[in-house]
């Protein structure tokens, strides 16, 4: 069996540059560092023929030129690189996973108490960013009434601020908040098609007693523009939701960091 030759990252280096990233970080903070300088700190050492700065710049180009593309590399892809042993690879993978978890936590915190449907888009993009097939997702929500006009408060006889009940009903619900209850992946399609049946879309929402849902799916092609089928399916699900008493707030299509809201574009 012929041993496969490893990939030399020197072939990916666009230009050489001297740098002392550790010292730069100590003097100016981590935000002052370029992406490849941060990678150099993680890698710690270079190889016999390539210093750590060159190795880091080559790694970034090999991974697609951006950190968001680089973190998609798995153990197998990284093990193909010359000078990348178990320690370097596991250090990178652990860092990538920490980044992913922080993103998920921040997105989830924002999602738990939404002031608009748009807040869900980043969370959905994060959940679907690495899918190579279409997936259909449902975010299950409850309406959460919120008093949004602070001028409705008045001082009572004791000088304590309280809600003016005469005005409360008039201004209540001018803006809705939505509380996250759960989510469900209801179907997985081929690279260019997925099917979402109403009974599957609403099943978990009905069981949880939800009042609202957001439906979403991804386009692996990279273009989030909905198809005619996407629009027709959305209209059918909105009608089904009316029957069940569950409002379909939006249908969000995501693709490579972009999203398309059918609600915002008047397609539902």
């Amino acid at each position: 069996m012929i041993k496969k030759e490893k990939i030399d990252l020197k072939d990916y280096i666009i230009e050489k540059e001297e740098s002392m990233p550790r010292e730069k970080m100590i003097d100016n903070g981590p935000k002052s560092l370029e992406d490849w300088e941060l990678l150099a700190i993680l890698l710690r050492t270079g190889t016999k023929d390539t210093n750590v700065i060159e190795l880091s710049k080559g790694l970034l180009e090999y991974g697609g030129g951006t950190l968001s593309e680089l973190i998609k590399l798995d153990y197998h892809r990284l093990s193909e690189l010359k000078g990348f042993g178990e320690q370097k690879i596991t250090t990178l993978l652990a860092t990538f996973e920490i980044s992913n978890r922080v993103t998920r936590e921040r997105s989830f915190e924002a999602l738990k108490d939404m002031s608009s449907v748009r807040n869900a888009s980043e969370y959905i993009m994060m959940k679907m960013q690495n899918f190579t097939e279409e997936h259909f997702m449902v975010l299950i929500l409850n309406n959460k009434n919120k008093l949004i006009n602070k001028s409705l408060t008045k001082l009572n006889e004791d000088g304590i601020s309280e809600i003016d009940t005469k005005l409360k009903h008039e201004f209540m619900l001018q803006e809705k908040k939505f509380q996250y209850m759960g989510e469900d992946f209801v179907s997985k399609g081929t690279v260019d098609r997925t099917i979402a049946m109403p009974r599957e879309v609403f099943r978990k929402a009905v069981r949880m007693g939800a009042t609202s849902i957001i439906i979403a799916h991804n386009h692996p092609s990279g273009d989030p523009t909905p198809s005619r089928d996407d629009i027709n399916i959305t209209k059918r699900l909105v009608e089904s939701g009316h029957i069940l008493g569950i409002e379909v707030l939006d249908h969000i299509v995501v693709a490579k960091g972009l999203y398309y809201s059918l609600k915002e574009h008047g397609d539902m």
Side-chain angles (χ1 to χ4, degrees):
M1 181 177 178
I2 300 176
K3 187 176 181 181
K4 185 178 179 181
E5 186 173 348
K6 291 207 170 189
I7 298 170
D8 194 336
L9 288 179
K10 285 199 298 183
D11 298 332
Y12 288 84
I13 300 172
I14 297 175
E15 59 182 24
K16 293 186 178 181
E17 186 170 345
E18 294 298 325
S19 177
M20 301 179 68
R22 290 182 185 277
E23 290 78 1
K24 185 176 178 181
M25 178 182 284
I26 292 171
D27 292 339
N28 304 309
K31 291 183 179 179
S32 67
L33 271 62
E34 301 288 343
D35 292 345
W36 48 268
E37 291 176 310
L38 292 170
L39 289 172
I41 291 177
L42 290 175
L43 295 178
R44 298 180 59 190
T45 61
T47 65
K48 180 181 177 182
D49 302 317
T50 309
N51 66 44
V52 69
I53 298 299
E54 295 172 339
L55 196 69
S56 300
K57 297 189 80 170
L59 174 63
L60 190 62
E61 289 302 315
Y62 172 77
T66 64
L67 292 175
S68 59
E69 289 296 316
L70 179 64
I71 64 174
K72 296 177 183 179
L73 298 184
D74 58 15
Y75 190 96
H76 174 71
R77 289 285 307 281
L78 290 170
S79 66
E80 294 178 336
L81 302 177
K82 185 177 181 181
F84 279 68
E86 186 177 278
Q87 182 174 346
K88 275 187 170 61
I89 295 173
T90 53
T91 297
L92 286 172
L93 292 179
T95 305
F96 296 166
E97 182 58 24
I98 289 172
S99 174
N100 285 331
R101 293 187 186 190
V102 169
T103 300
R104 284 198 295 269
E105 287 175 5
R106 287 178 176 173
S107 298
F108 185 72
E109 286 301 314
L111 180 67
K112 285 195 299 185
D113 202 16
M114 296 188 300
S115 59
S116 71
V117 175
R118 186 179 298 182
N119 291 33
S121 299
E122 288 189 6
Y123 180 76
I124 293 167
M125 285 189 285
M126 180 275 300
K127 294 286 286 190
M128 295 186 169
Q129 64 185 347
N130 294 324
F131 289 161
T132 56
E133 295 180 313
E134 283 198 11
H135 288 66
F136 197 98
M137 178 184 184
V138 181
L139 290 181
I140 302 166
L141 310 168
N142 251 351
N143 291 349
K144 184 179 181 182
N145 299 345
K146 182 192 177 188
L147 191 62
I148 63 169
N149 193 324
K150 292 184 179 180
S151 66
L152 298 183
T153 61
K154 66 176 183 178
L155 297 179
N156 62 18
E157 294 178 355
D158 299 321
I160 300 173
S161 179
E162 66 179 10
I163 299 296
D164 187 336
T165 55
K166 293 181 180 179
L167 297 175
K168 177 179 178 181
H169 181 71
E170 180 181 353
F171 289 96
M172 202 74 162
L173 301 179
Q174 285 186 2
E175 180 177 302
K176 284 185 178 180
K177 283 191 105 179
F178 303 99
Q179 188 172 40
Y180 174 90
M181 296 179 69
E183 61 193 57
D184 195 16
F185 280 94
V186 297
S187 68
K188 172 182 174 182
T190 63
V191 73
D192 60 358
R193 182 171 180 174
T194 187
I195 299 174
M197 300 298 292
R199 64 176 177 271
E200 298 297 330
V201 170
F202 290 97
R203 179 177 296 174
K204 189 171 181 179
V206 170
R207 189 170 69 245
M208 296 181 71
T211 58
S212 313
I213 63 171
I214 296 172
I215 55 178
H217 77 281
N218 63 308
H219 281 178
S221 65
D223 181 3
T225 306
S227 66
R228 176 51 53 185
D229 283 344
D230 294 336
I231 294 173
N232 290 337
I233 288 172
T234 303
K235 291 178 179 178
R236 184 173 64 166
L237 292 175
V238 169
E239 292 172 359
S240 300
H242 286 158
I243 296 171
L244 294 169
I246 298 175
E247 183 181 5
V248 179
L249 299 171
D250 203 347
H251 184 172
I252 297 172
V253 186
V254 299
K256 294 185 177 179
L258 303 172
Y259 81 92
Y260 184 107
S261 162
L262 274 74
K263 183 76 169 181
E264 290 178 352
H265 287 83
D267 295 324
M268 59 179 288

